[in-house]
């Protein structure tokens, strides 16, 4: 695992561990790589609720609850589907946050969407941010880049909603189970 990803996973650990908040993942093209980085640090079990690899459209519909008509209309590699993947992961894992990825890493593409097009999304069911990656650097590099960018994107999101991690009085606590 790359050093930069370990640093990002520790930043996530510090914030989520301190706030008592949780995260889940819904991955398509990255096939569990984001989850692997999140769980690579000791203590991740305190905040990582779980992940799903919904590689097929059928899995996106059956597991995450994404409307098949949305996938048919917008394509699985779309901002709209990435947003629904975050919502689905938060729902099935009962987590505060989720990170999602969907895209064409290569070598083939579909529906006129070029290889290297990857949509990332992160957030809460009510506050979801998206990022579109473009450019084909080969399958392995595309996946490595998407994983790293997803983690960076989520750390940036956490910093926006928790600007001072030492001020824990302002942090909303998760619901009791």
């Amino acid at each position: 695992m790359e050093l930069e990803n370990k640093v990002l996973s520790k930043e996530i650990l510090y914030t989520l561990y301190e706030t008592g908040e949780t995260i889940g993942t819904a991955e398509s093209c990255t096939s569990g790589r984001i989850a692997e980085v999140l769980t690579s640090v000791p203590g991740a079990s305190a905040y990582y609720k779980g992940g799903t690899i919904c590689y097929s459209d059928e899995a996106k519909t059956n597991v995450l609850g994404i409307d098949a008509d949305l996938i048919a209309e917008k394509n699985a590699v779309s901002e709209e589907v990435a947003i629904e993947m975050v919502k689905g992961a938060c729902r099935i894992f009962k987590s505060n946050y989720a990170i999602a990825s969907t895209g064409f890493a290569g070598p083939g593409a579909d529906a006129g969407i070029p290889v290297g097009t990857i949509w990332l999304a992160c957030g809460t069911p009510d506050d979801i941010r998206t990022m579109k990656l473009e450019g084909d650097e080969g399958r392995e590099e595309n996946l490595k880049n998407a994983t790293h960018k997803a983690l960076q994107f989520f750390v940036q999101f956490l910093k926006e909603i928790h600007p001072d991690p030492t001020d824990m009085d302002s942090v909303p606590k998760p619901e009791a189970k």
Side-chain angles (χ1 to χ4, degrees):
M1 179 175 310
E2 295 180 10
L3 178 61
E4 295 90 2
N5 285 347
K6 284 188 177 192
V7 170
L8 291 169
S9 65
K10 285 195 177 191
E11 284 189 59
I12 294 166
L13 165 93
Y14 295 139
T15 302
L16 297 184
Y17 195 82
E18 286 296 317
T19 63
E21 295 171 313
T22 59
I23 187 168
T25 53
E27 299 182 65
S28 185
C29 64
T30 51
S31 303
R33 290 170 185 230
I34 296 167
E36 178 185 20
V37 174
L38 289 172
T39 60
S40 69
V41 293
S45 61
Y47 59 86
Y48 184 74
K49 300 279 286 221
T52 182
I53 300 169
C54 290
Y55 214 68
S56 69
D57 293 351
E58 182 180 39
K60 289 175 182 72
T61 298
N62 294 337
V63 176
L64 294 171
I66 299 173
D67 187 337
D69 291 338
L70 176 67
I71 295 172
E73 178 186 340
K74 298 292 184 177
N75 193 293
V77 179
S78 65
E79 180 178 33
E80 293 84 357
V81 169
I83 288 168
E84 292 303 313
M85 289 174 74
V86 167
K87 291 178 184 178
C90 286
R91 181 180 42 72
I92 64 174
F93 296 114
K94 296 177 177 43
S95 61
N96 300 98
Y97 306 107
I99 300 174
S101 66
T102 184
F104 292 123
D110 188 31
I113 299 171
V115 171
T117 303
I118 298 172
W119 278 99
L120 304 173
C122 70
T124 70
D126 299 320
D127 185 4
I128 300 172
R129 315 290 167 84
T130 62
M131 173 188 287
K132 184 180 184 182
L133 304 179
E134 298 178 286
D136 183 16
E137 298 178 35
R139 181 177 179 80
E140 194 56 37
E141 282 300 311
N142 292 343
L143 294 172
K144 193 161 83 173
N145 185 43
T147 300
H148 184 70
K149 291 285 188 188
L151 295 165
Q152 278 184 320
F153 194 40
F154 183 64
V155 166
Q156 176 187 349
F157 175 81
L158 283 177
K159 286 180 178 180
E160 287 176 24
I161 61 170
H162 298 303
D164 182 5
T166 60
D167 180 15
M168 290 298 118
D169 293 333
S170 66
V171 174
K173 300 297 180 202
E175 293 180 24
K177 296 177 187 172

